[in-house]
Amino acid sequence: DVKVTQSSRYLVKRTGEKVFLECVQDMDHENMFWYRQDPGLGLRLIYFSYDVKMKEKGDIPEGYSVSREKKERFSLILESASTNQTSMYLCASSSPPAGAGELFFGEGSRLTVL
Amino acid sequence: GENVEQHPSTLSVQEGDSAVIKCTYSDSASNYFPWYKQELGKRPQLIIDIRSNVGEKKDQRIAVTLNKTAKHFSLHITETQPEDSAVYFCAASITSGGSYIPTFGRGTSLIVHP
């Protein structure tokens, strides 16, 4: 089974703090994604990565950055957390479509910014 | 970019009834349409998907239909059971850099009453 692990299930941070959300997958997937989930808004793509050291902006990248130094690890960084970044953050991975396309999600990291 | 509209936002049915969730998309280049189910407190998981060269796909009580001309696709669940209660997300995916990049709808909360 594919396993996508997010380092923290629950975090509470203060406005202005730097926040790191870590995600690790164990299936050698090329693609990794960060989504934000808010009630009534569905899953919105923040950033994704096709390969090590590359990244692409999604639909809502403002206020976020990412890092992918190793294939299995994809980090989401909030340089200066703000209250409107309080949300559930979901990491996912997938392989290129050799007949596939399924996203495998982590358990999620619920971030509260005070 | 792609825009996916999903309706209804909430659907309440009696056990044994059928449930239908509809999605429309805007980008004619979208070619892969997955559906995810998210139970309360859990991660989204793929339940069925369809590619643009297929009009319909069925897996036991679940079926998906796709109308590329009209740019809409639907999820059909027959003989609903209480364990079908969850939030369902549709997505439309374009191929970018050799990978599927999905845009999600806002989700439908399905409630099946025993």
Side-chain angles (χ1 to χ4, degrees):
Chain A
D1 278 352
V2 175
K3 192 165 184 181
V4 179
T5 303
Q6 295 184 227
S7 56
S8 303
R9 291 296 305 275
Y10 300 95
L11 303 95
V12 179
K13 299 292 181 180
R14 297 208 173 271
T15 301
E17 281 193 78
K18 191 169 186 176
V19 182
F20 292 87
L21 300 179
E22 306 283 343
C23 176
V24 177
Q25 50 94 4
D26 67 356
M27 282 300 292
D28 202 35
H29 282 170
E30 286 80 0
N31 306 323
M32 295 190 75
F33 305 79
W34 275 105
Y35 284 90
R36 171 174 172 162
Q37 182 173 18
D38 299 288
L41 297 180
L43 302 169
R44 293 181 292 167
L45 182 62
I46 304 171
Y47 270 96
F48 62 98
S49 169
Y50 296 123
D51 203 350
V52 176
K53 294 193 184 296
M54 72 78 56
K55 59 187 178 184
E56 294 284 346
K57 291 180 180 179
D59 298 318
I60 53 165
E62 297 79 17
Y64 304 94
S65 62
V66 290
S67 172
R68 192 162 182 204
E69 296 296 318
K70 293 185 178 182
K71 189 175 184 180
E72 68 270 18
R73 187 180 297 271
F74 192 36
S75 302
L76 180 69
I77 303 157
L78 288 67
E79 292 289 342
S80 178
S82 62
T83 54
N84 62 11
Q85 293 178 309
T86 291
S87 186
M88 172 68 84
Y89 291 89
L90 288 168
C91 174
S93 71
S94 73
S95 283
E102 178 178 1
L103 293 188
F104 295 89
F105 285 90
E107 296 275 6
S109 298
R110 185 169 292 283
L111 171 67
T112 301
V113 183
L114 302 175
Chain B
E2 176 63 278
N3 182 48
V4 178
E5 299 283 342
Q6 182 173 347
H7 299 280
S9 57
T10 305
L11 180 58
S12 183
V13 300
Q14 289 295 128
E15 183 177 359
D17 287 351
S18 294
V20 180
I21 302 170
K22 299 182 179 182
C23 291
T24 61
Y25 62 98
S26 60
D27 192 337
S28 57
S30 289
N31 54 8
Y32 172 65
F33 305 89
W35 287 86
Y36 289 82
K37 176 183 180 182
Q38 186 177 31
E39 296 177 357
L40 189 63
K42 297 192 175 180
R43 70 189 82 192
Q45 291 190 294
L46 180 75
I47 54 170
I48 195 167
D49 56 15
I50 192 167
R51 285 173 170 75
S52 58
N53 57 347
V54 176
E56 184 173 355
K57 183 177 179 180
K58 191 173 182 180
D59 182 4
Q60 299 183 331
R61 296 186 297 107
I62 293 173
V64 58
T65 58
L66 171 64
N67 183 326
K68 284 219 74 179
T69 303
K71 295 183 192 166
H72 68 71
F73 57 113
S74 300
L75 178 72
H76 304 253
I77 306 174
T78 58
E79 300 171 23
T80 53
Q81 301 167 3
E83 51 265 39
D84 294 329
S85 296
V87 178
Y88 292 80
F89 294 98
C90 65
S93 308
I94 60 169
T95 303
S96 177
S99 298
Y100 289 120
I101 308 301
T103 297
F104 286 87
R106 296 192 173 198
T108 296
S109 178
L110 174 64
I111 303 165
V112 181
H113 299 279

